[in-house]
Amino acid sequence: MRIIALASLVTLVLFASVHAQVGTQLIVTMNLAGPVKLAGGSYYIAFTVDDSILTGPQSDSSSWTHYVLYRQGRFFFGRVPPAPFRPFTFEAIRPPTPYPYGEVSPDRKSLQVRVALADLQTGPTLPLKIKVNFVTVDENLHPIDALGSGATDKFGFVTLDLRKDTFLTITDPVGDAPDPSFDIVGGELQTTTP
């Protein structure tokens, strides 16, 4: 009887430690030419919500404010400290935390995450514009592909204006990465309120 009570208490504590998402959510889908790999690289969904940053999230990790990472079968969520402490070239400031709001599609060619706008908030109000980039990297964190014409495209990111956009389809050239599993072919951004 004690073991069952202890197991129930542990389950309750673990469940309570994962905060529930409330308010408006951003659903992001990244589509790939081949199936997601568990080794050989990582997949990032990068966000820029700071209006003082003129560009969007770049493939080298510059201009990011937040990101969702998929690596070795797990999702993680990270926040990047504000300038002047913003890292470049994937310098680790603090490890990202495990993230329960992501899933891989049954055909393994898409990653989808749900991010509460409150989790992307950097100031006193929710963001009005969210710049998004999809980035794939190899095991050494060198960019393989990003939105636009490959990993070096500085303007490949997309902007979702929450004052007027609720859905945005993203297309990306097929074949601009050597491995189809790391070749981004598009995706979707959608806002929803549960």
Side-chain angles (χ1 to χ4, degrees):
M1 188 71 151
R2 275 192 158 156
I3 293 173
I4 293 171
L6 182 59
S8 297
L9 180 61
V10 169
T11 303
L12 180 62
V13 169
L14 289 175
F15 183 75
S17 67
V18 176
H19 75 284
Q21 290 184 316
V22 295
T24 303
Q25 315 279 311
L26 179 63
I27 300 172
V28 182
T29 305
M30 175 197 293
N31 297 327
L32 302 155
V36 172
K37 288 187 176 179
L38 297 179
S42 301
Y43 305 83
Y44 286 91
I45 299 169
F47 302 97
T48 303
V49 296
D50 185 342
D51 285 336
S52 69
I53 301 173
L54 299 179
T55 64
Q58 301 296 306
S59 63
D60 66 357
S61 84
S62 60
S63 301
W64 295 15
T65 58
H66 303 78
Y67 61 91
V68 174
L69 163 65
Y70 182 76
R71 177 176 53 215
Q72 298 176 345
R74 296 182 64 199
F75 286 92
F76 300 90
F77 181 78
R79 299 174 199 274
V80 179
F85 305 107
R86 185 168 284 120
F88 294 92
T89 62
F90 297 95
E91 177 185 333
I93 296 291
R94 174 175 59 187
T97 57
Y99 197 65
Y101 305 108
E103 63 185 25
V104 180
S105 65
D107 68 359
R108 301 199 50 81
K109 290 186 176 183
S110 296
L111 301 173
Q112 187 175 79
V113 298
R114 228 175 357 108
V115 180
L117 291 187
D119 289 343
L120 297 176
Q121 188 171 337
T122 58
T125 60
L126 293 175
L128 295 176
K129 288 184 183 177
I130 301 173
K131 298 172 189 171
V132 180
N133 203 347
F134 300 154
V135 180
T136 57
V137 298
D138 64 18
E139 289 177 323
N140 297 314
L141 300 175
H142 297 120
I144 298 171
D145 196 14
L147 290 178
S149 58
T152 59
D153 191 341
K154 300 269 186 209
F155 303 102
F157 62 88
V158 295
T159 303
L160 183 71
D161 187 336
L162 298 171
R163 295 168 292 192
K164 61 180 181 173
D165 300 326
T166 58
F167 187 83
L168 184 63
T169 300
I170 303 166
T171 57
D172 193 67
V174 177
D176 58 350
D179 183 339
S181 292
F182 295 100
D183 185 8
I184 300 160
V185 296
E188 296 175 348
L189 303 176
Q190 178 182 358
T191 57
T192 184
T193 304

